[in-house]
Amino acid sequence: MVKKIKKPWPIKDVMTQIYEMKLWGGTAFDFYSGAGSHDPRIINPYLDTLITFLESHNKPLVVCDLGCGDFNIGKHLTRYAQKYIAIDIVEKLIERNKKLFREDHLEFRCLNIITDELPSGDCIILRQVLQHLSNAEIQKVIKKIAVAYKYIILTEHVPLDDFIPNKDIISGQGIRLKQNSGVNILEAPFNLKIKEEKNLGEHILENNKGRIVTTLYNVF
């Protein structure tokens, strides 16, 4: 008898289940994108850094937030952008965000960043999104953003010390931390070519649970 191999769920189903089953916590919330989007110790320094970057341009940037989640972070950044396009794959989450957050230059779109065409812009924000994707899926995202955006602001949860980058995983709730790995888009198999790289800060998590690192990439 041939044993059937379980196929990974489509990422849209995975992310929808995560929110519906409160797998990232936040049982008191209708939608909750995890402590990384709510813990003031993590998000306040992050917001300060991003606001400084966005304010440093004479002309406000068009920002695309890929994987905007519950928008607890994005809501603080919209005023510093010429246009802010917030994207997520979970339909009910996007519909909820549309009702809660309304500004003339703010737009929410339900898209799959792996397979769908992305809107044009100057800068993308990817906050703890790639870490949940397989290498094949990350590769598809990288190929699109490498030619479409000047700035990439990437936040990833990685081990405390040196690690082997980009061990493959099945997309889902988990990340590469247990494999002593994390996403590095400059390393194989992604090999993103950039003009400049700048560390925007990091937060060390308690109980040896790694660190959350934010990096700015100037692509061209």
Side-chain angles (χ1 to χ4, degrees):
M1 183 176 179
V2 178
K3 185 178 180 180
K4 290 185 178 179
I5 299 175
K6 280 189 175 182
K7 292 184 178 180
W9 277 25
I11 189 62
K12 184 171 186 175
D13 294 338
V14 170
M15 300 310 295
T16 299
Q17 185 189 60
I18 286 171
Y19 279 107
E20 288 179 347
M21 297 183 67
K22 311 290 185 184
L23 297 181
W24 286 334
T27 54
F29 295 79
D30 56 347
F31 287 90
Y32 184 76
S33 293
S37 294
H38 285 265
D39 187 337
R41 296 170 297 177
I42 298 173
I43 67 173
N44 288 345
Y46 173 83
L47 288 171
D48 289 343
T49 302
L50 259 66
I51 289 168
T52 299
F53 167 74
L54 293 174
E55 286 188 316
S56 69
H57 296 83
N58 293 327
K59 181 182 178 182
L61 303 177
V62 175
V63 176
C64 296
D65 187 344
L66 307 186
C68 67
D70 60 21
F71 213 56
N72 192 56
I73 289 179
K75 66 184 182 183
H76 300 287
L77 299 173
T78 55
R79 73 187 70 177
Y80 305 100
Q82 176 186 341
K83 184 175 183 179
Y84 200 102
I85 306 170
I87 293 166
D88 207 281
I89 197 170
V90 180
E91 292 180 18
K92 290 182 180 179
L93 176 56
I94 286 294
E95 290 305 314
R96 172 259 197 191
N97 287 349
K98 286 179 178 179
K99 294 175 183 176
L100 288 181
F101 308 103
R102 297 184 181 183
E103 298 180 55
D104 290 341
H105 69 304
L106 171 61
E107 180 181 342
F108 288 99
R109 299 189 192 182
C110 185
L111 295 174
N112 183 332
I113 66 170
I114 301 160
T115 58
D116 293 338
E117 182 178 351
L118 299 178
S120 59
D122 304 304
C123 170
I124 65 162
I125 294 172
L126 268 167
R127 181 173 175 80
Q128 293 181 253
V129 173
L130 298 186
Q131 63 192 37
H132 294 288
L133 303 182
S134 69
N135 283 358
E137 290 167 333
I138 295 174
Q139 186 74 278
K140 291 177 181 178
V141 176
I142 296 296
K143 284 183 178 179
K144 286 189 282 189
I145 64 178
V147 297
Y149 305 95
K150 183 175 182 179
Y151 302 108
I152 298 171
I153 300 175
L154 179 69
T155 303
E156 289 293 323
H157 186 171
V158 298
L160 279 175
D161 302 311
D162 291 341
F163 60 89
I164 300 171
N166 307 325
K167 287 187 177 180
D168 206 1
I169 62 169
I170 295 173
S171 300
Q173 177 191 7
I175 61 175
R176 294 163 172 79
L177 203 65
K178 290 181 179 179
Q179 301 184 52
N180 191 40
S181 184
V183 174
N184 184 333
I185 60 176
L186 303 185
E187 298 289 338
F190 313 126
N191 301 311
L192 176 69
K193 304 301 180 186
I194 61 168
K195 182 179 177 182
E196 187 179 5
E197 173 187 8
K198 182 179 180 181
N199 187 315
L200 295 184
E202 62 180 67
H203 176 80
I204 306 297
L205 298 170
E206 298 175 352
N207 301 320
N208 198 33
K209 291 185 178 180
R211 55 200 168 102
I212 298 175
V213 181
T214 299
T215 309
L216 168 65
Y217 299 101
N218 190 334
V219 182
F220 52 81

